[in-house]
């Protein structure tokens, strides 16, 4: 009996000690939750906007939470928001989306928004006003010049929400815009040498803003994005023949496909052009970039640089 009492006493002391250890952890978690509620929540539909916001925030993220809605790479056209996604959007302090019906589901959610203090950045509207250009339509992020306008708008919104951080945000914004302008100069100097060449894209066509900025001649299987799925009907001569003819004439040395391509069309073009050794390279629209890729270091400017290298490679290969 004495031994049992001693054991019970030891157990009670252990539980008491554990409570002293766990209680601060509980309080810390609770405090962290309160602290998170005080932080400004920036929510973006797709990766480029999320990355732009992240570059403005920089390492000063103690007052902000930067959130990406389309995390898994499902693509902006096919995405269906979950209840958690909807909650994140309606509770955002700053919500960033493309607009112009490309992320139509976001506009449906905004009609029911609960947060009356939310700053909504419809980037299609912003770029249309600033640039008065048709390249501000769908897939506006594929124009570096649109990117400059959007980054400034995001910075302005952050400065208004957190005035005490305005100087830091403005400095980060200026430095990031300088990087965009430098890459824009690289695009201009590199692509000006190929004005009489064609880019053969064996997929749908999201790159209208890029083509307009640098006067590029794209030949693509479809004139829009999204396009219908590649079926037997879509692989008939009107889609394939112009691409195969251009490849036969060596207007380009290689074919281009999108990052999520099943390559059915590119294979059909190669077969029609009788060029079995022709290479196929990926031109990344960033519609399917995942949060995991972002954590591993993928960036908007990095992908745009890769796209420039890919285009040059398609002419030189």
């Amino acid at each position: 009996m004495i031994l049992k009492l001693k054991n019970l006493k030891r157990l009670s002391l252990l539980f008491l000690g554990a409570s002293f250890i766990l209680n601060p952890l509980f309080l810390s978690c609770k405090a962290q939750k309160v602290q998170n509620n005080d932080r400004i929540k920036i929510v973006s539909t797709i990766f480029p906007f999320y990355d732009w916001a992240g570059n403005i925030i920089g390492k000063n993220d103690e007052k902000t939470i930067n959130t990406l809605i389309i995390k898994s790479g499902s693509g902006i056209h096919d995405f269906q928001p979950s209840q958690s996604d909807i909650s994140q959007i309606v509770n955002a302090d700053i919500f960033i989306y493309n607009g112009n019906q490309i992320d139509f589901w976001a506009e449906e959610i905004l009609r029911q928004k609960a947060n009356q203090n939310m700053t909504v950045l419809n980037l299609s509207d912003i770029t249309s006003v600033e640039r008065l250009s048709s390249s501000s339509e769908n897939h506006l992020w594929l124009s570096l010049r649109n990117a400059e306008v959007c980054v400034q708008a995001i910075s302005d919104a952050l400065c208004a929400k957190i005035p005490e951080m305005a100087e830091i945000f403005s400095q980060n914004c200026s430095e990031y815009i300088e990087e965009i302008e430098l890459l824009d100069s690289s695009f201009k100097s590199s692509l000006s040498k190929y004005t009489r060449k064609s880019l053969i894209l064996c997929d749908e066509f999201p790159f209208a803003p890029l083509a307009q900025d640098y006067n590029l001649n794209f030949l693509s299987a479809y004139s829009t994005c999204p396009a219908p799925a590649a079926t037997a009907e879509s692989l008939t001569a009107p889609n394939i023949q112009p691409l195969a003819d251009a490849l036969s004439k060596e207007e380009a040395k290689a074919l281009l496909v999108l990052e999520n391509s099943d390559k059915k069309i590119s294979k059909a073009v190669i077969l029609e052009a009788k060029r079995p050794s022709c290479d196929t390279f990926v031109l990344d629209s960033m519609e399917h970039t995942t949060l995991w890729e972002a954590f591993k270091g993928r960036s908007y400017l990095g992908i745009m640089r890769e796209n420039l290298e890919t285009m040059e490679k398609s002419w030189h290969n």
Side-chain angles (χ1 to χ4, degrees), residues 140-156:
L140 62 87
W141 63 89
L142 291 168
S143 162
L144 288 166
R145 297 165 198 179
N146 278 340
E148 289 183 44
V149 173
C150 296
V151 166
Q152 186 62 62
I154 295 168
S155 176
D156 292 345

Side-chain angles (χ1 to χ4, degrees), residues 42-292:
I42 305 102
V43 178
S44 301
T45 53
I46 60 169
F47 167 75
F49 312 155
Y50 166 83
D51 193 50
W52 293 343
N55 276 277
I56 298 162
I57 295 163
K59 296 179 181 178
N60 308 286
D61 59 354
E62 65 276 2
K63 293 183 179 290
T64 61
I65 300 173
N66 192 21
T67 300
L68 175 62
I69 292 295
I70 305 179
K71 306 176 182 68
S72 61
S74 59
I76 194 168
H77 303 292
D78 303 320
F79 183 73
Q80 294 292 327
S82 66
Q83 198 57 48
S84 173
D85 297 324
I86 294 169
S87 177
Q88 286 181 315
I89 291 170
V90 299
N91 289 298
D93 296 293
I94 300 173
F95 178 55
I96 309 167
Y97 74 113
N98 190 92
N100 199 34
Q101 290 298 308
I102 194 171
D103 36 18
F104 62 91
W105 44 268
E107 294 178 342
E108 290 294 328
I109 294 167
L110 287 174
R111 290 191 186 99
Q112 309 165 39
K113 73 175 184 179
N115 182 359
Q116 297 303 313
N117 296 317
M118 182 194 300
T119 297
V120 177
L121 299 179
N122 179 330
L123 297 184
S124 285
D125 286 350
I126 289 167
T127 51
S128 293
V129 169
E130 291 290 333
R131 298 191 60 215
L132 300 175
S133 166
S134 62
S135 70
S136 63
E137 294 177 357
N138 288 351
H139 312 91
L140 62 87
W141 63 89
L142 291 168
S143 162
L144 288 166
R145 297 165 198 179
N146 278 340
E148 289 183 44
V149 173
C150 296
V151 166
Q152 186 62 62
I154 295 168
S155 176
D156 292 345
L158 278 164
C159 291
K161 289 289 185 185
I162 317 176
E164 65 271 25
M165 300 289 288
E167 187 176 347
I168 292 171
F169 292 152
S170 296
Q171 180 62 31
N172 289 345
C173 175
S174 296
E175 291 174 0
Y176 190 54
I177 285 177
E178 283 179 14
E179 288 188 65
I180 295 172
E181 289 173 342
L182 187 62
L183 184 55
D184 181 35
S185 296
S186 295
F187 266 79
K188 280 188 280 192
S189 62
S190 297
L191 298 177
S192 62
K193 298 176 286 188
Y194 304 106
T195 53
R196 296 187 179 181
K197 294 285 188 179
S198 298
L199 290 158
I200 306 174
L201 179 63
C202 299
D203 270 310
E204 56 199 19
F205 184 57
F207 293 102
L210 182 71
Q212 180 176 327
D213 280 352
Y214 306 109
N215 195 30
L216 298 173
N217 182 33
F218 269 94
L219 297 172
S220 58
Y222 303 100
S223 60
T224 60
C225 179
T231 62
E233 289 77 18
S234 67
L235 294 177
T236 55
N239 294 98
I240 299 303
Q241 199 60 52
L243 309 186
D245 289 346
L247 184 61
S248 297
K249 295 173 185 175
E250 295 197 347
E251 291 182 32
K253 302 287 186 181
L255 300 178
L256 300 172
V257 295
L258 295 180
E259 66 275 12
N260 65 326
S261 178
D262 59 15
K263 299 185 179 179
K264 286 181 180 178
I265 295 175
S266 61
K267 289 174 182 176
V269 170
I270 288 170
L271 188 64
E272 181 68 25
K274 299 180 174 58
R275 291 278 303 279
S277 60
C278 178
D279 286 321
T280 303
F281 301 128
V282 172
L283 204 59
D284 197 331
S285 72
M286 287 180 267
E287 285 189 39
H288 301 85
T289 307
T290 65
L291 187 61
W292 177 242

